Amino acid sequence: MPKQERAVRTRHSLICAAAEAFERYGYVQAKLSDISASAGVSPGALHFHFKSKAAMAATVEASAGAALRREAQLAQRPGVNALQRLTDTSHALAGRLRGDVVARAGYKLSNEAPRGAGPTLHQEWQGCVRRLLAQAFEEALLIEGTEHAVVGDGIVAATTGFELLGREDAAWLSAATLTAFWRLLLPSIARPETLRALHPGDRAVRAGRERSPIG
Amino acid sequence: MPKQERAVRTRHSLICAAAEAFERYGYVQAKLSDISASAGVSPGALHFHFKSKAAMAATVEASAGAALRREAQLAQRPGVNALQRLTDTSHALAGRLRGDVVARAGYKLSNEAPRGAGPTLHQEWQGCVRRLLAQAFEEALLIEGTEHAVVGDGIVAATTGFELLGREDAAWLSAATLTAFWRLLLPSIARPETLRALHPGDRAVRAGRERSPIG
């Protein structure tokens, strides 16, 4: 294997091992010696890639942020209205959290590790929800008089709660829980004609079942 | 001061100092030496009352649980329907979290400190929400077809989110945020005749403003 490719692989193994340790033990109690051992790498090699635990946590959080942003981006399909893009984005992010330890660790670290001046992942999600609701308002999808700032706060709070509760019990992050939440909320914010065309479920699951585009 | 009274005061000071340290630094990083210093107590006196950091955290969590349970109990006024009792309870708990560092630290510890086999404070709140919604169903307050398990999950998730987000920004735990949440949710679950009599706001604030009983 060429030297550079080997370095990329080592770095990747270290990031995954670090995410597992941060998820399980939290930032403060995760040990660099356990991380290097579980990645099958010498402590020296770990220090070649990451000069401190804080640097490692920052990389896990940045990787999680990048993966979640990419996931959110993929959910912004052109020609689909802003409310559908909002539900699709929430499902895409929950799916990522279910399947990707780096994403889960990144969210957890975003609350507990020392960090730079940038927004937390919770704050980025909050911005995303507010932006899509403002677009839904501009696209005249919302029932007259809907206070979209209030609705946005409710959505941010509930989904943040799903993430926190999901750390103990994965059912909180299931597609079924999220679908039920949207089924409850959407009728009180979407105009009837918008509501009829909205799919509150997970697009990935729907696509598999229906074998046809949605919208 | 009699010896026993002094011991009770010392213990109380230690619990408050511990709660402040756990809230600020988290369980793992809180230091017993800082706690005894900030309570104005010698390390020996601290060890007389609490034999370990885990014992101290368990006491803070238990005190928080007791205070929150008492608050929830006071919100169960007789002659008031179950949906009103649910909104009143949520406001009472948020008020306690706003004003009481022991309650806030207890919630935080409930996620991160080593603990016994009992339910977390989040799980207790979940049980309380489910119980009150089941009563609301029995009292025929809910719109036909309301799935109260789903509604309960949504309420638990959103209020858990308010607590988590409130750790960084107190506005998430304000009476205004919670009132807006109930204004958004109640119309989609309460029958119109129930809805007209419901007050989504903070009873403590209402009592001051309206100077009359509510219901």
Side-chain angles (χ1 to χ4, degrees), chain A residues 37 43 70 94 101 107 122 126 150 167 170 176 197 206:
Chain A
R70 201 165 45 240
V101 67
Y107 248 95
H122 287 119
Q126 199 173 321
V150 168
R167 293 180 199 172
R206 285 200 316 266

Side-chain angles (χ1 to χ4, degrees), chain B residues 145-169:
Chain B
T146 300
E147 295 178 73
H148 51 90
V150 169
V151 173
D153 284 355
I155 294 170
V156 168
T159 47
T160 299
F162 290 142
E163 188 268 318
L164 181 74
L165 294 161
R167 292 180 200 172
E168 293 293 313
D169 175 359

Side-chain angles (χ1 to χ4, degrees), chain A:
Chain A
M1 203 186 323
K3 202 171 162 187
Q4 205 186 339
E5 194 185 325
R6 206 163 55 225
V8 169
R9 285 199 190 194
T10 301
R11 192 181 151 86
H12 179 74
S13 308
L14 281 166
I15 291 173
C16 292
E20 277 166 24
F22 290 138
E23 182 184 39
R24 183 171 307 172
Y25 304 110
Y27 174 75
V28 175
Q29 288 190 298
K31 287 197 180 68
L32 291 183
S33 54
D34 291 345
I35 294 171
S36 60
S38 115
V41 156
S42 72
L46 183 148
H47 285 287
F48 172 77
H49 287 279
F50 298 101
K51 65 177 193 298
S52 66
K53 186 155 76 166
M56 200 153 214
T59 302
V60 169
E61 201 182 326
S63 303
L68 290 164
R69 258 170 249 127
R70 201 165 45 240
E71 207 69 70
Q73 198 56 44
L74 285 171
Q76 312 309 312
R77 292 170 300 147
V80 170
N81 78 49
L83 274 183
Q84 185 67 67
R85 283 184 284 134
L86 177 58
T87 64
D88 288 349
T89 307
S90 71
H91 277 292
L93 297 183
R96 188 87 204 187
L97 286 171
R98 288 195 298 272
D100 179 1
V101 67
V102 175
R104 289 196 299 278
Y107 248 95
K108 196 171 143 100
L109 287 167
S110 192
N111 289 136
E112 61 178 34
R115 52 196 326 288
T120 64
L121 293 177
H122 287 119
Q123 286 165 337
E124 279 196 54
W125 168 234
Q126 199 173 321
C128 175
V129 170
R130 292 200 171 144
R131 213 161 36 243
L132 285 169
L133 279 175
Q135 286 174 23
F137 174 75
E138 281 167 27
E139 292 174 17
L141 305 173
L142 303 179
I143 293 170
E144 190 103 16
T146 301
E147 295 178 72
H148 50 92
V150 168
V151 173
D153 284 355
I155 294 170
V156 168
T159 47
T160 299
F162 290 142
E163 187 269 319
L164 181 73
L165 295 160
R167 293 180 199 172
E168 293 292 313
D169 174 359
W172 285 101
L173 272 176
S174 71
T177 301
L178 203 52
T179 302
F181 169 74
W182 287 118
R183 270 191 210 287
L184 174 67
L185 180 69
L186 290 172
S188 50
I189 64 168
R191 286 178 197 269
E193 63 274 23
T194 305
L195 189 63
R196 275 191 296 276
L198 282 174
H199 294 274
D202 189 334
R203 190 162 67 93
V205 175
R206 285 200 316 266
R209 201 163 47 212
E210 297 173 12
R211 306 212 157 273
S212 72
I214 304 109

Side-chain angles (χ1 to χ4, degrees), chain A residues 29, chain B residues 18 22 26-28 30-32 35 46-47 49-62 109-110 112-116:
Chain A
Q29 288 190 298
Chain B
F22 290 139
Y27 174 76
V28 176
K31 288 196 179 68
L32 291 183
I35 294 171
L46 182 148
H47 284 288
H49 287 278
F50 299 100
K51 66 178 191 299
S52 66
K53 186 155 74 167
M56 199 153 214
T59 302
V60 169
E61 201 182 325
L109 287 167
S110 192
E112 61 178 35
R115 52 196 328 285

Side-chain angles (χ1 to χ4, degrees), chain B residues 172-183:
Chain B
W172 285 101
L173 273 176
S174 70
T177 301
L178 203 53
T179 302
F181 168 74
W182 287 117
R183 271 191 210 288

Side-chain angles (χ1 to χ4, degrees), chain B residues 81 83 139-143 190-198:
Chain B
N81 77 50
L83 273 183
E139 293 174 16
L141 306 173
L142 303 179
I143 293 170
R191 284 179 198 269
E193 62 274 23
T194 305
L195 189 63
R196 275 192 296 274
L198 282 174

